[in-house]
Amino acid sequence: QTFEGHSDHVNAVVFSPDGKLVASASNDKTVRLWDPATGESCGVLKGHSNIVSAVVFSPDGKLADRSCVDDTGRTNRNGTGESCGVLEGHSDVVSAVVFSPDGKLVASASHDNTVRLWDVIQKSTIQVIHTGARLKHLAFSDPTFPPPLFVTDSWVTWNMKKILFLPWDYRPSSSAAAKDNILVLGHQSGRVTFMCF
């Protein structure tokens, strides 16, 4: 399936922990929620004045945390789109965000060459790590990383074996996998593509 809705480059896509929702973040200043089973739009989260560069669900699936080129992170309740707070502190573009497995912490990477560790409840910085580089991806330690279904360069891989070559027009700007057999790709055109293996 291919879902149309974004009007610009898709920067990030992610499945909810239960696999029932997909969120996509775009240069069109929105985060869109999708039902991967039906292809229907489940809502649009707005509120940033600039590009949304990353999106992630909390482990309980109730919060989507998104980062924006205006150097803030916002948390929202999925059902209502109601804002739950803003994380401020980076001095440049926020390029990646991730929740800890217990949902109590958020890590964010920025073009200011730092990673910040946040307390989700207090909305405060716990630690600032100076990386000396711009990071695009973050992860809390996870013994199953990378997942069995994964996109690397121009290939879809299964257990690190190349199984599907992606032509130039189909190479994603972001990707996510769920339930080991469903892959979602975000594209520069604004398309979001789902593949079932």
Side-chain angles (χ1 to χ4, degrees), residues 51-143:
I51 295 165
V52 185
S53 56
V55 62
V56 64
F57 285 95
S58 66
D60 63 9
K62 293 182 181 174
L63 292 175
D65 188 294
R66 53 201 170 123
S67 63
C68 177
V69 297
D70 65 6
D71 65 44
T72 64
R74 296 176 189 264
T75 56
N76 292 272
R77 298 195 190 284
N78 291 342
T80 65
E82 167 193 359
S83 177
C84 300
V86 178
L87 307 175
E88 297 181 278
H90 286 296
S91 60
D92 205 338
V93 174
V94 176
S95 53
V97 290
V98 64
F99 274 94
S100 63
D102 63 6
K104 295 179 180 177
L105 301 174
V106 167
S108 58
S110 170
H111 286 190
D112 64 10
N113 295 345
T114 67
V115 170
R116 285 182 177 259
L117 194 60
W118 308 86
D119 181 305
V120 173
I121 303 299
Q122 301 297 323
K123 306 286 188 283
S124 60
T125 301
I126 296 172
Q127 185 176 6
V128 178
I129 302 164
H130 296 274
T131 62
R134 294 178 175 181
L135 302 179
K136 293 183 178 180
H137 305 284
L138 288 173
F140 282 89
S141 59
D142 180 352

Side-chain angles (χ1 to χ4, degrees), residues 5-196:
H6 285 296
S7 60
D8 207 335
H9 182 107
V10 175
N11 296 311
V13 290
V14 65
F15 276 94
S16 63
D18 63 6
K20 294 181 179 177
L21 281 177
V22 168
S24 55
S26 173
N27 281 7
D28 67 9
K29 307 174 189 175
T30 67
V31 171
R32 289 184 177 267
L33 298 175
W34 310 90
D35 180 339
T38 65
E40 305 227 349
S41 175
C42 299
V44 181
L45 304 178
K46 300 178 181 180
H48 283 297
S49 58
N50 281 307
I51 295 165
V52 185
S53 56
V55 62
V56 64
F57 285 95
S58 66
D60 63 9
K62 293 182 181 174
L63 292 175
D65 188 294
R66 53 201 170 123
S67 63
C68 177
V69 297
D70 65 6
D71 65 44
T72 64
R74 296 176 189 264
T75 56
N76 292 272
R77 298 195 190 284
N78 291 342
T80 65
E82 167 193 359
S83 177
C84 300
V86 178
L87 307 175
E88 297 181 278
H90 286 296
S91 60
D92 205 338
V93 174
V94 176
S95 53
V97 290
V98 64
F99 274 94
S100 63
D102 63 6
K104 295 179 180 177
L105 301 174
V106 167
S108 58
S110 170
H111 286 190
D112 64 10
N113 295 345
T114 67
V115 170
R116 285 182 177 259
L117 194 60
W118 308 86
D119 181 305
V120 173
I121 303 299
Q122 301 297 323
K123 306 286 188 283
S124 60
T125 301
I126 296 172
Q127 185 176 6
V128 178
I129 302 164
H130 296 274
T131 62
R134 294 178 175 181
L135 302 179
K136 293 183 178 180
H137 305 284
L138 288 173
F140 282 89
S141 59
D142 180 352
T144 63
F145 188 82
L149 190 58
F150 192 71
V151 176
T152 175
D153 297 323
S154 57
W155 286 89
V156 174
T157 64
W158 179 268
N159 291 326
M160 300 308 291
K161 293 180 182 175
K162 296 176 181 177
I163 62 169
L164 178 65
F165 176 76
L166 297 171
W168 180 257
D169 290 347
Y170 291 91
R171 292 180 190 168
S173 52
S174 60
S175 64
K179 299 180 182 177
D180 297 337
N181 69 333
I182 300 174
L183 185 67
V184 61
L185 309 175
H187 303 279
Q188 291 185 6
S189 66
R191 285 189 330 258
V192 177
T193 304
F194 288 81
M195 297 181 179
C196 186

